Amino acid sequence: MPIEIKELHIKINVNEGSKPNASASAQKSKETDAVAECVEQVMKIIERKKER
């Protein structure tokens, strides 16, 4: 029997005025690199499927 979700509550806390530190920029760089690598791998998979 499937479960139906009728409501979803999301709560976040935002601290305005705080400045990102060096570790935050390093983390963002790592995330960007990871995303770029994933996109590259997906594109390779798509190219392989086209060859078939």
Side-chain angles (χ1 to χ4, degrees):
M1 179 174 171
I3 298 172
E4 183 178 339
I5 299 172
K6 294 186 178 187
E7 290 186 33
L8 178 63
H9 295 277
I10 300 173
K11 182 178 178 182
I12 61 169
N13 294 325
V14 178
N15 296 329
E16 290 188 32
S18 63
K19 296 180 182 177
N21 54 21
S23 65
S25 63
Q27 178 69 20
K28 193 169 199 171
S29 176
K30 287 181 184 178
E31 290 173 356
T32 304
D33 293 343
V35 170
E37 185 177 339
C38 289
V39 169
E40 184 177 331
Q41 290 178 7
V42 168
M43 294 305 292
K44 286 180 182 179
I45 292 169
I46 291 172
E47 287 298 320
R48 281 189 227 142
K49 284 188 177 186
K50 283 183 181 178
E51 290 176 0
R52 291 181 185 180

